[in-house]
Amino acid sequence: MKRETLKHYIDNILIEQCGLEKNFFSTKSNDGESLVMKKELLHDALDWYEVLSTIEYKCKILVNDEMLLKDNMTYGEFIDVFYNEIEREKNGLA
């Protein structure tokens, strides 16, 4: 899976679960990748874990939750955690 395809999946999950406008990410600079996850997207711990669970289920990937709990993690870094894990599994490194 290409990173851009993964981003599109995650964008749609966040849009649906957080009640964002359908064009939310496309209206932001850098397609929203510079947004800080905890400050600008997921404020509530329950929302955080629901989104995480949905991404893992839809993308058929498990990630270490601790890798996603950095206070100043950007949306781009959030996507990269999933993408890097997908690549590791694809290359038999998981």
Side-chain angles (χ1 to χ4, degrees):
M1 172 184 310
K2 292 183 180 179
R3 186 185 182 282
E4 188 59 33
T5 303
L6 175 64
K7 181 186 181 314
H8 181 72
Y9 284 146
I10 295 174
D11 285 357
N12 287 335
I13 290 167
L14 283 166
I15 287 168
E16 181 180 314
Q17 292 203 351
C18 297
L20 303 172
E21 296 291 326
K22 292 202 181 289
N23 65 346
F24 178 82
F25 293 102
S26 63
T27 63
K28 305 295 181 198
S29 63
N30 198 25
D31 284 332
E33 289 204 29
S34 60
L35 294 172
V36 177
M37 289 298 295
K38 286 189 177 182
K39 289 181 184 174
E40 300 171 278
L41 291 172
L42 294 172
H43 313 283
D44 181 83
L46 183 58
D47 289 342
W48 179 267
Y49 285 105
E50 286 177 0
V51 166
L52 176 60
S53 295
T54 302
I55 294 168
E56 289 178 332
Y57 176 76
K58 287 191 176 184
C59 295
K60 297 177 179 57
I61 192 78
L62 292 174
V63 297
N64 181 343
D65 296 357
E66 292 176 12
M67 294 175 63
L68 299 168
L69 295 174
K70 272 185 5 188
D71 283 336
N72 294 319
M73 176 175 270
T74 65
Y75 185 45
E77 292 170 331
F78 180 81
I79 294 166
D80 286 342
V81 169
F82 286 94
Y83 183 72
N84 292 339
E85 189 61 30
I86 289 169
E87 288 295 302
R88 274 179 15 99
E89 284 194 12
K90 183 172 84 175
N91 294 321
L93 301 172

